[in-house]
Amino acid sequence: MDADAPGTAAAGREAGSGPTVLPGPRAPRQAPDGDPPESPVGDADVATVPVTADTATTTTDTASTATDTASTADTASTAVPPANAADTGSTAVPATAPTAAGTATAAVPATVPTTTPAPPPPAPATTPTTTPPPAAPSGGAAPGDRAPVDRRRRVGRVERLGRAAGAWIVPQVPRLLVAAVAVAVAVGAVMRFATPSHLWLDESLTVAIASRPVPDLLHALRHDGSPPLYYLLLHGWISVFGDGDIAVRALSGVLSLLTLPLAWLAGRRVGRIAFAAGNGERDAPRWVGVATLLMFACSPYAIRYGSETRMYSLVVLLVLVFGFAAVRALERSTLPRLATLTLATAALVYTHYWTFLVIFTVAAFLLVQAHRRPHYRRVTLRAFAAMAASAALFAPWMPSFLFQMLHTGTPWAPKVQAQVLLDTVFDWAGPQSTGALLGVVLLGGALIGLTARPVGRRELAVRVTGRVPGRYLAAIWLLPLVLAYFVNMFGGSAYAERYTGIALPACLLLASLGIAQLPGTRVRAIVLVVAVFSGLVGGWQLARTERTQAGEIAGRIGALARPGDVVAFCPDQLGPAVHRALVRHGPLTVREIVYADNTGPALVDWVDYADRMQRANGTTFAAEVNELAGPDHAVLLVRADGYRFLEGACAVLSDQLATLRDRTVQVERRNLYEGASLERFSTLR
């Protein structure tokens, strides 16, 4: 049912009626006896006279009988009013349909005299025929009339069944909508724990660092380039649940599920703000809340990184917590609320350094508001001070942070173009055509949420400068990404899709607000169905896709290698995932060596990485590997070309070994996120 149709929630908002979760169709108004509402027939009055089943006929049948027997005075005196109603000054109204089994109701038109009725004509001189009309069968109708009566009875039964079905289905609509939302959320939740892929480089590094004692963990992070909060959480998680692939990924899945109730609450708050500002309807909190819940539950980005042993699910969760803390501190700047804001800010910067971009955006907004609105100055400055106080909590990590900024960075990342800002939305939306469809929904919903508000029942009023709260959400979504782009261009930091989770909550909230602004329940429901379907399809593809060849390569090494054989990695970034897979296959009987890295295969030392790789030499490393293997052991080279700063070093290494030993390719490189090949070099000739 269209929300804008008469009698719906949109037409009578003041009544405040509607289902608990989503507005839907309502039951039609019925008469007290359960009959369908009658249509008005004009100004004439209609009287209904019940007729028993033995004598039930329609007005038309009675009229035809009266015509056939009009020659007798008795029959003429009992017939229905003449067809030419104009001669008597009355108006005739057709009969109603049967209403119950075994009975019928014949409408007898009431006559409204317009002039004094004329006296009846004198009786004819001839003696009327005394032959009575033929008796009707026991069924109450002539044989020729049985078929219409049976047909009307069947129609009546169908109508009664339809009314009964409608009376049962319509009240169930809110429950069905709740069930549909619950199913979509449940499917998205299951996908976060249904990833069959082996751990790739970043995940293997994370587990290797988090498995160490806390002092060693913090030292290893100086060479990794990340803040410690997620690693400390994973350290405690591993001590309870172990370090298996499913176990270590489950932490991110749980953190991603904790995001869902906060997303629903955030959507309801956005809807209330929109309604209070006159930019949303009365049911906006309900619609924005449900839309936001579905967007987060079925987001391919959230599903992808809810199934990965990295900190990005924690980032999304903490951005929502930070947003709640900031809004509550601006509503009332009590000490507990300000302290919560300080803790949330510190938790963000201890999780990922890109969160500084969100914090700077919000801090700049607070300072602008303090300048433009003097009556708002006290509360905004207090919130700003609470955020700044988080620096005291971050101070213990500051030496490691400065060391990382000077020596680690992201040397593997190339510079990007400005188009990456648009590409980010489609990266969030998932791969292939479903990702493009969801990307269009996100961008279209965000545009409506930014500029439009409902007017009447089928129109939107657009303001190019934006509306509250859409323009605030747009700023928190876009400004951090713009800052990240400039940092990538001029500061050398990476712009990676997985880092952009800092802006995902604002984008999904804005798109959900736009969907809630669409006119009509059907339109909103259709758009949500499209978003949920495309999101789940994209999320399924991301969750079920193998991310690395580490497991395949480790299995092949286990089948080929003899004790004492040498496994070489070029580049070093292939080491952590394959090493972890080898360890999980059983006790190591091979010796491992990594190109231009002395820390071993389990970790990657990112300190001054670019300089170290450029100083290394493939020929020199080939001689080192050959000497380590000696004449009695084979060399197994895990190799992938195309890594930044290595140029053709790995290809040179392979060619140099091939001049000394026989080379056979055991595993071909596949087009995966982390593909690699395995080459075996036999013992010396």
Side-chain angles (χ1 to χ4, degrees):
M1 177 181 288
D2 194 338
D4 298 328
T8 60
R13 293 178 297 174
E14 290 74 16
S17 60
T20 304
V21 177
L22 291 176
R26 299 184 178 181
R29 298 174 60 91
Q30 296 184 349
D33 58 356
D35 289 336
E38 297 179 358
S39 301
V41 296
D43 297 330
D45 297 327
V46 178
T48 60
V49 179
V51 182
T52 62
D54 294 334
T55 61
T57 59
T58 64
T59 305
T60 304
D61 297 336
T62 306
S64 63
T65 304
T67 303
D68 294 339
T69 59
S71 61
T72 64
D74 294 339
T75 306
S77 64
T78 59
V80 297
N84 189 2
D87 295 340
T88 60
S90 61
T91 304
V93 180
T96 61
T99 59
T103 65
T105 302
V108 180
T111 60
V112 182
T114 57
T115 61
T116 303
T126 60
T127 304
T129 304
T130 59
T131 303
S138 59
D145 296 332
R146 179 178 299 277
V149 171
D150 291 342
R151 184 167 57 253
R152 288 191 297 274
R153 288 177 179 173
R154 288 195 298 270
V155 171
R157 284 194 294 270
V158 172
E159 290 179 349
R160 288 191 296 275
L161 289 175
R163 289 196 299 271
W168 180 85
I169 292 176
V170 171
Q172 306 302 319
V173 169
R175 297 179 182 178
L176 294 175
L177 292 174
V178 172
V181 171
V183 168
V185 172
V187 172
V190 170
M191 287 185 186
R192 288 159 165 81
F193 301 91
T195 301
S197 172
H198 293 81
L199 270 61
W200 69 289
L201 166 64
D202 283 7
E203 293 180 284
S204 301
L205 277 174
T206 302
V207 175
I209 294 173
S211 300
R212 297 172 174 238
V214 173
D216 292 344
L217 183 156
L218 298 178
H219 177 75
L221 286 177
R222 286 173 59 90
H223 295 258
D224 179 73
S226 298
L229 181 57
Y230 180 81
Y231 293 84
L232 293 173
L233 291 176
L234 184 60
H235 176 83
W237 184 272
I238 290 174
S239 66
V240 176
F241 300 102
D243 63 351
D245 289 2
I246 296 176
V248 295
R249 281 177 170 155
L251 174 60
S252 294
V254 170
L255 294 173
S256 186
L257 292 184
L258 292 177
T259 302
L260 300 184
L262 286 180
W264 177 69
L265 292 174
R268 290 184 63 87
R269 180 175 284 269
V270 168
R272 285 197 297 270
I273 294 174
F275 175 69
N279 295 324
E281 296 185 338
R282 187 180 299 274
D283 61 352
R286 180 167 62 246
W287 269 104
V288 182
V290 172
T292 306
L293 173 63
L294 290 173
M295 287 291 191
F296 273 84
C298 305
S299 165
Y301 179 95
I303 293 172
R304 166 72 167 81
Y305 293 105
S307 63
E308 183 166 298
T309 313
R310 293 292 284 168
M311 70 287 294
Y312 308 117
S313 290
L314 181 59
V315 168
V316 175
L317 175 63
L318 290 178
V319 167
L320 285 172
V321 172
F322 171 75
F324 270 111
V327 170
R328 287 175 60 81
L330 292 174
E331 290 174 344
R332 194 171 63 213
S333 56
T334 61
L335 184 59
R337 295 190 178 193
L338 294 174
T340 302
L341 179 58
T342 301
L343 292 175
T345 307
L348 277 177
V349 295
Y350 267 112
T351 302
H352 199 279
Y353 294 137
W354 263 44
T355 58
F356 277 114
L357 304 176
V358 175
I359 295 170
F360 291 159
T361 299
V362 175
F365 165 78
L366 294 176
L367 293 178
V368 170
Q369 292 297 315
H371 176 72
R372 294 179 56 189
R373 301 182 181 182
H375 63 283
Y376 205 44
R377 181 173 301 163
R378 180 186 297 271
V379 67
T380 53
L381 291 180
R382 285 181 177 179
F384 178 84
M387 292 172 57
S390 65
L393 299 178
F394 190 69
W397 186 249
M398 186 62 70
S400 296
F401 171 70
L402 294 176
F403 179 84
Q404 291 170 337
M405 293 299 102
L406 293 174
H407 296 284
T408 58
T410 52
W412 44 265
K415 294 188 181 299
V416 296
Q417 303 298 320
Q419 185 183 349
V420 73
L421 301 175
L422 180 62
D423 293 340
T424 296
V425 177
F426 290 94
D427 289 337
W428 290 340
Q432 300 179 359
S433 58
T434 56
L437 181 59
L438 180 57
V440 171
V441 172
L442 291 177
L443 290 175
L447 181 61
I448 294 174
L450 171 63
T451 62
R453 68 175 178 86
V455 176
R457 297 179 176 179
R458 298 195 179 277
E459 295 181 356
L460 294 174
V462 174
R463 179 186 295 168
V464 178
T465 57
R467 299 181 182 276
V468 175
R471 58 189 176 205
Y472 301 141
L473 292 172
I476 298 173
W477 161 31
L478 295 174
L479 289 182
L481 298 184
V482 172
L483 291 175
Y485 167 73
F486 283 111
V487 170
N488 173 265
M489 292 300 295
F490 304 107
S493 178
Y495 187 106
E497 172 260 346
R498 56 186 180 272
Y499 296 172
T500 59
I502 60 170
L504 179 71
C507 178
L508 295 185
L509 282 168
L510 185 59
S512 300
L513 175 62
I515 292 173
Q517 304 288 46
L518 293 173
T521 301
R522 289 183 181 178
V523 176
R524 300 173 188 174
I526 290 172
V527 173
L528 277 179
V529 168
V530 170
V532 167
F533 174 78
S534 56
L536 290 178
V537 171
W540 175 260
Q541 292 172 336
L542 290 175
R544 302 299 297 178
T545 299
E546 179 65 61
R547 301 167 190 175
T548 178
Q549 284 186 259
E552 179 185 2
I553 290 173
R556 189 61 179 159
I557 291 175
L560 291 174
R562 296 178 301 170
D565 284 352
V566 174
V567 177
F569 298 96
C570 184
D572 56 343
Q573 297 177 44
L574 299 175
V578 176
H579 172 76
R580 173 181 167 82
L582 284 173
V583 171
R584 298 187 66 79
H585 271 79
L588 283 178
T589 60
V590 296
R591 294 170 289 173
E592 297 172 287
I593 185 171
V594 182
Y595 180 80
D597 195 332
N598 295 324
T599 60
L603 298 176
V604 173
D605 187 2
W606 296 108
V607 173
D608 301 327
Y609 186 85
D611 293 339
R612 182 158 37 89
M613 290 298 132
Q614 290 174 341
R615 290 195 305 268
N617 183 279
T619 302
T620 303
F621 186 67
E624 183 180 355
V625 170
N626 185 64
E627 181 180 355
L628 180 64
D632 300 325
H633 297 286
V635 175
L636 296 162
L637 175 62
V638 182
R639 167 192 167 191
D641 298 325
Y643 279 69
R644 198 170 183 223
F645 297 118
L646 272 77
E647 304 301 336
C650 297
V652 170
L653 166 63
S654 177
D655 292 340
Q656 289 294 319
L657 289 174
T659 62
L660 303 172
R661 302 164 180 261
D662 293 330
R663 175 172 57 186
T664 58
V665 178
Q666 301 295 323
V667 175
E668 295 282 355
R669 182 177 182 178
R670 292 191 286 142
N671 186 24
L672 299 181
Y673 189 77
E674 187 180 65
S677 63
L678 175 65
E679 299 172 348
R680 182 180 185 273
F681 299 87
S682 64
T683 56
L684 288 175
R685 297 170 182 170

